Amino acid sequence: MNTKKYYITTPLYYVNDKPHLGHAYTTLAADVLARHLRSKDIPVLLQTGTDEHGSNIEKIAREKGVAPKAWCDGVSADFRELWKTLNIKYDYFIRTTDPAHEAGVQAVFEKLLKTGDIYLGSYEGLYCSSCEAFYDETELKGKNCPVHGRPVERVSEETYFFKLSKYEAALLEHYAKHPDFLSPRYRAQEIVNFVKSGLKDISVSRTKVAWGVPVKSNPRHTVYVWFDALLNYATGRGYNPDGNSPDFADAWPADVHLVGKEIFRFHGVIWPAMLLALGVALPRKVYAHGWWTVNGDKMSKSKGNFIKAEDVVREFGVDALRYFVFREVTFGQDGDFSMDAFRRRYNADLANDLGNLFSRLMNMAAKYLDHRLPEKPGESEIFRELSSWTPEIHRSVEALRFSDALEKIWQGVSRLNRLVDARKPWELAKTDPETLKLFLHEMVWCLRLIAGWLDPFMPDTASRMHMQLGVGRTSDGTPPQKVPPLFPRMQPENKPNDIRTN
Ligand code: MSP
């Protein structure tokens, strides 16, 4: 029997800082996709977790005066807490300090030493300690790291190398044969060009970093954090070259690795080369999304402009945030977060378009529907037409075109609003109560459809709507009730920076 599950991963988040909107974004995307697939009865595995080794974490723990593991325990728990707040349902949370993962990393290292894909040498290069990565002179911005803008250091050390260069041709062949492997396509070319320009072997161990997985046969070295962390996608499912757990076959190959654009190269080049070296099948897709800025600026510690998802949730509710991030920006592109834009969408799309429609109709249903909600969909044209949109909405979610899906759903919401305005049910109440009933029946069914579409994006809202629409209740119908607004209107304040941390 085929028990292969649809396996979705997020990157493992560094625990050197508290979680912010950028981290929440990747995980929310994974959750939307997972919820959608589960609703179609497709078995899903969603794995997320924390990346806990390396010099940055060692350093922050020292600054805070705690042991590295104790520090990791704290921040890793913060991430799990945030996933709870954001209503993210994951199947497995992996930490790179988990003993099974560490054992897997060590076994992989020894295996590749044996095959000759890892060898000992010495390295001199330009290193950014924030990225934990080496850069070529040509990649720098002036003399600084292209990601952090901070000076890089010239470092020389004995190190193990991974023979990345050996996999250049195999990678190019894989990209050519699997055009969706690097997604979205407009981001793929940069990777292809990078590989075509010639791959160099990469350093995969450190002698100066104590907080890492020790190389078993030479514990003066610890494994480079990226080599360690990338392996999570496989070790978390029970992969170990000395003997896999039977669960591995249920998950592998991964269906999609969701990542931010700045770590696309690690996932599109180094990770598949590691798998080729191990003789393990490559994931089906690596999808890179864009970056959020805040009021036009990069989120950064020094600017103190990190958006904390919890703060947004406290003021607007979790579903407003889930809606905004996927509606405002095409998944894949960069986007800007501002409280003005957030409030605008909240009031226009959620409080007005959806919220008002829902409460107007439900309040009328409570008043005029003889205390019963309809059990069978009528033959109404509007219900038939909206139902025919379902495959397109599903396709958009499956292709990670989240904003397209939401746009279409809101087209549906607008259609219903226009219909209510045109049919004037409040007048029908006086002139033609039978027609009013039929109309409200149609509308209840259309709202059930909309609630179903919204479910992966806004699970709380969808379940409130479903409850009030009597979905999943007994077959003898449900008395409609008056409902409180789904999204209470917010005052359009002009305080663009009011939600931030320092
Ligand atoms: N630990 C590595 C990943 C290892 S995966 C084997 C890492 N961690 S991270 O915490 O720095 O970033 C994790 C994710 O958060 C990335 O997908 C990244 O793109 C995302 N974001 C961090 N800041 C972001 C924004 N400002 N905007 C959107 N996403 C960004 O990299």
Side-chain angles (χ1 to χ4, degrees), residues 280-305:
V280 174
L282 302 199
R284 302 213 164 103
K285 186 186 283 187
V286 180
Y287 192 102
H289 65 68
W291 265 52
W292 283 97
T293 50
V294 177
N295 301 314
D297 280 338
K298 195 174 164 178
M299 275 194 256
S300 82
K301 230 181 195 169
S302 53
K303 291 199 186 99
N305 63 350

PDB file of all heavy atoms in Angstrom, residues 280-305:
ATOM      1  N   VAL A 280      20.276   9.632  -2.156  1.00  0.00           N
ATOM      2  CA  VAL A 280      18.877   9.764  -1.712  1.00  0.00           C
ATOM      3  C   VAL A 280      18.138  10.635  -2.736  1.00  0.00           C
ATOM      4  O   VAL A 280      18.712  11.607  -3.257  1.00  0.00           O
ATOM      5  CB  VAL A 280      18.831  10.422  -0.308  1.00  0.00           C
ATOM      6  CG1 VAL A 280      17.401  10.718   0.112  1.00  0.00           C
ATOM      7  CG2 VAL A 280      19.513   9.532   0.725  1.00  0.00           C
ATOM      8  N   ALA A 281      16.876  10.278  -3.008  1.00  0.00           N
ATOM      9  CA  ALA A 281      16.095  11.022  -4.013  1.00  0.00           C
ATOM     10  C   ALA A 281      16.004  12.501  -3.651  1.00  0.00           C
ATOM     11  O   ALA A 281      15.968  12.863  -2.468  1.00  0.00           O
ATOM     12  CB  ALA A 281      14.699  10.428  -4.108  1.00  0.00           C
ATOM     13  N   LEU A 282      15.923  13.351  -4.663  1.00  0.00           N
ATOM     14  CA  LEU A 282      15.841  14.791  -4.408  1.00  0.00           C
ATOM     15  C   LEU A 282      14.395  15.202  -4.134  1.00  0.00           C
ATOM     16  O   LEU A 282      13.463  14.578  -4.626  1.00  0.00           O
ATOM     17  CB  LEU A 282      16.356  15.580  -5.619  1.00  0.00           C
ATOM     18  CG  LEU A 282      17.785  15.316  -6.082  1.00  0.00           C
ATOM     19  CD1 LEU A 282      18.284  16.470  -6.945  1.00  0.00           C
ATOM     20  CD2 LEU A 282      18.726  15.108  -4.908  1.00  0.00           C
ATOM     21  N   PRO A 283      14.226  16.273  -3.335  1.00  0.00           N
ATOM     22  CA  PRO A 283      12.876  16.779  -3.101  1.00  0.00           C
ATOM     23  C   PRO A 283      12.223  17.189  -4.421  1.00  0.00           C
ATOM     24  O   PRO A 283      12.918  17.455  -5.401  1.00  0.00           O
ATOM     25  CB  PRO A 283      13.102  17.996  -2.213  1.00  0.00           C
ATOM     26  CG  PRO A 283      14.544  18.333  -2.342  1.00  0.00           C
ATOM     27  CD  PRO A 283      15.249  17.075  -2.672  1.00  0.00           C
ATOM     28  N   ARG A 284      10.894  17.238  -4.422  1.00  0.00           N
ATOM     29  CA  ARG A 284      10.214  17.584  -5.679  1.00  0.00           C
ATOM     30  C   ARG A 284      10.315  19.075  -5.994  1.00  0.00           C
ATOM     31  O   ARG A 284      10.349  19.465  -7.141  1.00  0.00           O
ATOM     32  CB  ARG A 284       8.739  17.172  -5.596  1.00  0.00           C
ATOM     33  CG  ARG A 284       8.605  15.685  -5.329  1.00  0.00           C
ATOM     34  CD  ARG A 284       7.386  15.066  -5.985  1.00  0.00           C
ATOM     35  NE  ARG A 284       7.557  13.621  -5.995  1.00  0.00           N
ATOM     36  CZ  ARG A 284       6.942  12.782  -5.152  1.00  0.00           C
ATOM     37  NH1 ARG A 284       6.104  13.243  -4.251  1.00  0.00           N
ATOM     38  NH2 ARG A 284       7.171  11.490  -5.234  1.00  0.00           N
ATOM     39  N   LYS A 285      10.293  19.880  -4.936  1.00  0.00           N
ATOM     40  CA  LYS A 285      10.279  21.324  -5.203  1.00  0.00           C
ATOM     41  C   LYS A 285      10.892  22.115  -4.053  1.00  0.00           C
ATOM     42  O   LYS A 285      10.683  21.771  -2.888  1.00  0.00           O
ATOM     43  CB  LYS A 285       8.819  21.772  -5.374  1.00  0.00           C
ATOM     44  CG  LYS A 285       8.663  23.211  -5.798  1.00  0.00           C
ATOM     45  CD  LYS A 285       7.221  23.639  -5.806  1.00  0.00           C
ATOM     46  CE  LYS A 285       6.487  23.111  -7.025  1.00  0.00           C
ATOM     47  NZ  LYS A 285       5.125  23.658  -7.118  1.00  0.00           N
ATOM     48  N   VAL A 286      11.638  23.147  -4.411  1.00  0.00           N
ATOM     49  CA  VAL A 286      12.079  24.128  -3.415  1.00  0.00           C
ATOM     50  C   VAL A 286      11.440  25.438  -3.852  1.00  0.00           C
ATOM     51  O   VAL A 286      11.614  25.858  -4.999  1.00  0.00           O
ATOM     52  CB  VAL A 286      13.610  24.291  -3.408  1.00  0.00           C
ATOM     53  CG1 VAL A 286      14.027  25.308  -2.360  1.00  0.00           C
ATOM     54  CG2 VAL A 286      14.304  22.960  -3.161  1.00  0.00           C
ATOM     55  N   TYR A 287      10.672  26.041  -2.969  1.00  0.00           N
ATOM     56  CA  TYR A 287       9.954  27.260  -3.352  1.00  0.00           C
ATOM     57  C   TYR A 287      10.444  28.433  -2.508  1.00  0.00           C
ATOM     58  O   TYR A 287      10.377  28.394  -1.276  1.00  0.00           O
ATOM     59  CB  TYR A 287       8.446  27.071  -3.152  1.00  0.00           C
ATOM     60  CG  TYR A 287       7.647  28.184  -3.790  1.00  0.00           C
ATOM     61  CD1 TYR A 287       7.006  27.987  -5.010  1.00  0.00           C
ATOM     62  CD2 TYR A 287       7.541  29.437  -3.174  1.00  0.00           C
ATOM     63  CE1 TYR A 287       6.293  29.014  -5.608  1.00  0.00           C
ATOM     64  CE2 TYR A 287       6.829  30.466  -3.772  1.00  0.00           C
ATOM     65  CZ  TYR A 287       6.205  30.234  -4.989  1.00  0.00           C
ATOM     66  OH  TYR A 287       5.494  31.251  -5.586  1.00  0.00           O
ATOM     67  N   ALA A 288      10.934  29.475  -3.176  1.00  0.00           N
ATOM     68  CA  ALA A 288      11.482  30.625  -2.445  1.00  0.00           C
ATOM     69  C   ALA A 288      10.512  31.802  -2.469  1.00  0.00           C
ATOM     70  O   ALA A 288      10.114  32.261  -3.541  1.00  0.00           O
ATOM     71  CB  ALA A 288      12.805  31.043  -3.059  1.00  0.00           C
ATOM     72  N   HIS A 289      10.133  32.254  -1.291  1.00  0.00           N
ATOM     73  CA  HIS A 289       9.275  33.445  -1.227  1.00  0.00           C
ATOM     74  C   HIS A 289      10.115  34.692  -1.007  1.00  0.00           C
ATOM     75  O   HIS A 289      11.315  34.611  -0.726  1.00  0.00           O
ATOM     76  CB  HIS A 289       8.218  33.287  -0.134  1.00  0.00           C
ATOM     77  CG  HIS A 289       8.782  33.226   1.263  1.00  0.00           C
ATOM     78  ND1 HIS A 289       9.378  34.308   1.876  1.00  0.00           N
ATOM     79  CD2 HIS A 289       8.850  32.215   2.156  1.00  0.00           C
ATOM     80  CE1 HIS A 289       9.769  33.966   3.081  1.00  0.00           C
ATOM     81  NE2 HIS A 289       9.481  32.688   3.277  1.00  0.00           N
ATOM     82  N   GLY A 290       9.463  35.851  -1.112  1.00  0.00           N
ATOM     83  CA  GLY A 290      10.185  37.119  -0.990  1.00  0.00           C
ATOM     84  C   GLY A 290      10.288  37.589   0.449  1.00  0.00           C
ATOM     85  O   GLY A 290       9.953  36.867   1.383  1.00  0.00           O
ATOM     86  N   TRP A 291      10.740  38.792   0.602  1.00  0.00           N
ATOM     87  CA  TRP A 291      10.986  39.361   1.927  1.00  0.00           C
ATOM     88  C   TRP A 291      10.029  40.483   2.251  1.00  0.00           C
ATOM     89  O   TRP A 291       9.646  41.260   1.389  1.00  0.00           O
ATOM     90  CB  TRP A 291      12.428  39.889   1.993  1.00  0.00           C
ATOM     91  CG  TRP A 291      13.300  38.832   2.588  1.00  0.00           C
ATOM     92  CD1 TRP A 291      13.383  37.542   2.183  1.00  0.00           C
ATOM     93  CD2 TRP A 291      14.157  38.978   3.709  1.00  0.00           C
ATOM     94  NE1 TRP A 291      14.242  36.864   2.991  1.00  0.00           N
ATOM     95  CE2 TRP A 291      14.745  37.718   3.930  1.00  0.00           C
ATOM     96  CE3 TRP A 291      14.502  40.052   4.543  1.00  0.00           C
ATOM     97  CZ2 TRP A 291      15.646  37.496   4.970  1.00  0.00           C
ATOM     98  CZ3 TRP A 291      15.412  39.836   5.567  1.00  0.00           C
ATOM     99  CH2 TRP A 291      15.973  38.560   5.778  1.00  0.00           C
ATOM    100  N   TRP A 292       9.686  40.568   3.533  1.00  0.00           N
ATOM    101  CA  TRP A 292       8.878  41.677   4.026  1.00  0.00           C
ATOM    102  C   TRP A 292       9.773  42.797   4.512  1.00  0.00           C
ATOM    103  O   TRP A 292      10.713  42.542   5.272  1.00  0.00           O
ATOM    104  CB  TRP A 292       8.018  41.225   5.221  1.00  0.00           C
ATOM    105  CG  TRP A 292       6.840  40.427   4.799  1.00  0.00           C
ATOM    106  CD1 TRP A 292       6.753  39.068   4.786  1.00  0.00           C
ATOM    107  CD2 TRP A 292       5.590  40.936   4.333  1.00  0.00           C
ATOM    108  NE1 TRP A 292       5.516  38.697   4.329  1.00  0.00           N
ATOM    109  CE2 TRP A 292       4.778  39.816   4.047  1.00  0.00           C
ATOM    110  CE3 TRP A 292       5.078  42.217   4.120  1.00  0.00           C
ATOM    111  CZ2 TRP A 292       3.480  39.948   3.555  1.00  0.00           C
ATOM    112  CZ3 TRP A 292       3.777  42.338   3.647  1.00  0.00           C
ATOM    113  CH2 TRP A 292       2.999  41.217   3.367  1.00  0.00           C
ATOM    114  N   THR A 293       9.468  44.001   4.051  1.00  0.00           N
ATOM    115  CA  THR A 293      10.072  45.177   4.669  1.00  0.00           C
ATOM    116  C   THR A 293       8.977  45.804   5.535  1.00  0.00           C
ATOM    117  O   THR A 293       7.807  45.421   5.445  1.00  0.00           O
ATOM    118  CB  THR A 293      10.523  46.191   3.611  1.00  0.00           C
ATOM    119  OG1 THR A 293       9.426  46.413   2.708  1.00  0.00           O
ATOM    120  CG2 THR A 293      11.720  45.673   2.826  1.00  0.00           C
ATOM    121  N   VAL A 294       9.368  46.785   6.360  1.00  0.00           N
ATOM    122  CA  VAL A 294       8.393  47.459   7.212  1.00  0.00           C
ATOM    123  C   VAL A 294       8.461  48.945   6.901  1.00  0.00           C
ATOM    124  O   VAL A 294       9.518  49.559   7.056  1.00  0.00           O
ATOM    125  CB  VAL A 294       8.699  47.223   8.705  1.00  0.00           C
ATOM    126  CG1 VAL A 294       7.729  47.994   9.587  1.00  0.00           C
ATOM    127  CG2 VAL A 294       8.626  45.737   9.014  1.00  0.00           C
ATOM    128  N   ASN A 295       7.354  49.489   6.449  1.00  0.00           N
ATOM    129  CA  ASN A 295       7.329  50.889   5.993  1.00  0.00           C
ATOM    130  C   ASN A 295       8.501  51.186   5.072  1.00  0.00           C
ATOM    131  O   ASN A 295       9.148  52.222   5.187  1.00  0.00           O
ATOM    132  CB  ASN A 295       7.348  51.855   7.186  1.00  0.00           C
ATOM    133  CG  ASN A 295       6.165  51.625   8.097  1.00  0.00           C
ATOM    134  OD1 ASN A 295       5.027  51.481   7.639  1.00  0.00           O
ATOM    135  ND2 ASN A 295       6.417  51.532   9.390  1.00  0.00           N
ATOM    136  N   GLY A 296       8.818  50.246   4.211  1.00  0.00           N
ATOM    137  CA  GLY A 296       9.862  50.455   3.216  1.00  0.00           C
ATOM    138  C   GLY A 296      11.272  50.085   3.677  1.00  0.00           C
ATOM    139  O   GLY A 296      12.189  50.076   2.875  1.00  0.00           O
ATOM    140  N   ASP A 297      11.439  49.798   4.980  1.00  0.00           N
ATOM    141  CA  ASP A 297      12.784  49.481   5.493  1.00  0.00           C
ATOM    142  C   ASP A 297      12.943  48.004   5.771  1.00  0.00           C
ATOM    143  O   ASP A 297      11.985  47.335   6.164  1.00  0.00           O
ATOM    144  CB  ASP A 297      13.012  50.173   6.849  1.00  0.00           C
ATOM    145  CG  ASP A 297      13.375  51.612   6.682  1.00  0.00           C
ATOM    146  OD1 ASP A 297      13.856  51.974   5.596  1.00  0.00           O
ATOM    147  OD2 ASP A 297      13.153  52.372   7.648  1.00  0.00           O
ATOM    148  N   LYS A 298      14.177  47.541   5.641  1.00  0.00           N
ATOM    149  CA  LYS A 298      14.477  46.175   6.043  1.00  0.00           C
ATOM    150  C   LYS A 298      14.245  46.046   7.560  1.00  0.00           C
ATOM    151  O   LYS A 298      14.595  46.948   8.315  1.00  0.00           O
ATOM    152  CB  LYS A 298      15.955  45.899   5.712  1.00  0.00           C
ATOM    153  CG  LYS A 298      16.282  44.441   5.757  1.00  0.00           C
ATOM    154  CD  LYS A 298      17.687  44.163   5.302  1.00  0.00           C
ATOM    155  CE  LYS A 298      18.003  42.747   5.776  1.00  0.00           C
ATOM    156  NZ  LYS A 298      19.286  42.268   5.402  1.00  0.00           N
ATOM    157  N   MET A 299      13.643  44.916   7.990  1.00  0.00           N
ATOM    158  CA  MET A 299      13.481  44.719   9.436  1.00  0.00           C
ATOM    159  C   MET A 299      14.860  44.484  10.023  1.00  0.00           C
ATOM    160  O   MET A 299      15.598  43.644   9.511  1.00  0.00           O
ATOM    161  CB  MET A 299      12.668  43.451   9.711  1.00  0.00           C
ATOM    162  CG  MET A 299      11.185  43.651   9.680  1.00  0.00           C
ATOM    163  SD  MET A 299      10.347  42.230  10.397  1.00  0.00           S
ATOM    164  CE  MET A 299       9.767  41.430   8.926  1.00  0.00           C
ATOM    165  N   SER A 300      15.204  45.207  11.051  1.00  0.00           N
ATOM    166  CA  SER A 300      16.516  44.948  11.637  1.00  0.00           C
ATOM    167  C   SER A 300      16.544  45.358  13.090  1.00  0.00           C
ATOM    168  O   SER A 300      15.756  46.193  13.544  1.00  0.00           O
ATOM    169  CB  SER A 300      17.606  45.689  10.860  1.00  0.00           C
ATOM    170  OG  SER A 300      17.670  47.025  11.304  1.00  0.00           O
ATOM    171  N   LYS A 301      17.474  44.740  13.789  1.00  0.00           N
ATOM    172  CA  LYS A 301      17.629  44.997  15.212  1.00  0.00           C
ATOM    173  C   LYS A 301      17.938  46.467  15.459  1.00  0.00           C
ATOM    174  O   LYS A 301      17.331  47.115  16.291  1.00  0.00           O
ATOM    175  CB  LYS A 301      18.778  44.147  15.735  1.00  0.00           C
ATOM    176  CG  LYS A 301      18.407  43.384  16.960  1.00  0.00           C
ATOM    177  CD  LYS A 301      19.590  42.602  17.436  1.00  0.00           C
ATOM    178  CE  LYS A 301      19.090  41.571  18.439  1.00  0.00           C
ATOM    179  NZ  LYS A 301      20.083  40.597  18.776  1.00  0.00           N
ATOM    180  N   SER A 302      18.884  46.982  14.646  1.00  0.00           N
ATOM    181  CA  SER A 302      19.316  48.349  14.924  1.00  0.00           C
ATOM    182  C   SER A 302      18.188  49.352  14.676  1.00  0.00           C
ATOM    183  O   SER A 302      18.092  50.352  15.374  1.00  0.00           O
ATOM    184  CB  SER A 302      20.543  48.686  14.076  1.00  0.00           C
ATOM    185  OG  SER A 302      20.261  48.409  12.723  1.00  0.00           O
ATOM    186  N   LYS A 303      17.328  49.063  13.700  1.00  0.00           N
ATOM    187  CA  LYS A 303      16.215  49.992  13.455  1.00  0.00           C
ATOM    188  C   LYS A 303      15.077  49.734  14.441  1.00  0.00           C
ATOM    189  O   LYS A 303      14.155  50.544  14.549  1.00  0.00           O
ATOM    190  CB  LYS A 303      15.701  49.824  12.029  1.00  0.00           C
ATOM    191  CG  LYS A 303      16.688  50.309  10.994  1.00  0.00           C
ATOM    192  CD  LYS A 303      15.977  50.565   9.661  1.00  0.00           C
ATOM    193  CE  LYS A 303      16.985  50.897   8.593  1.00  0.00           C
ATOM    194  NZ  LYS A 303      17.310  49.750   7.736  1.00  0.00           N
ATOM    195  N   GLY A 304      15.124  48.611  15.118  1.00  0.00           N
ATOM    196  CA  GLY A 304      14.073  48.303  16.095  1.00  0.00           C
ATOM    197  C   GLY A 304      12.705  48.206  15.451  1.00  0.00           C
ATOM    198  O   GLY A 304      11.687  48.532  16.059  1.00  0.00           O
ATOM    199  N   ASN A 305      12.646  47.779  14.209  1.00  0.00           N
ATOM    200  CA  ASN A 305      11.347  47.766  13.520  1.00  0.00           C
ATOM    201  C   ASN A 305      10.844  46.351  13.235  1.00  0.00           C
ATOM    202  O   ASN A 305      10.163  46.128  12.254  1.00  0.00           O
ATOM    203  CB  ASN A 305      11.439  48.571  12.215  1.00  0.00           C
ATOM    204  CG  ASN A 305      12.431  47.941  11.249  1.00  0.00           C
ATOM    205  OD1 ASN A 305      13.167  47.040  11.623  1.00  0.00           O
ATOM    206  ND2 ASN A 305      12.442  48.415  10.025  1.00  0.00           N
TER     207      ASN A 305
END
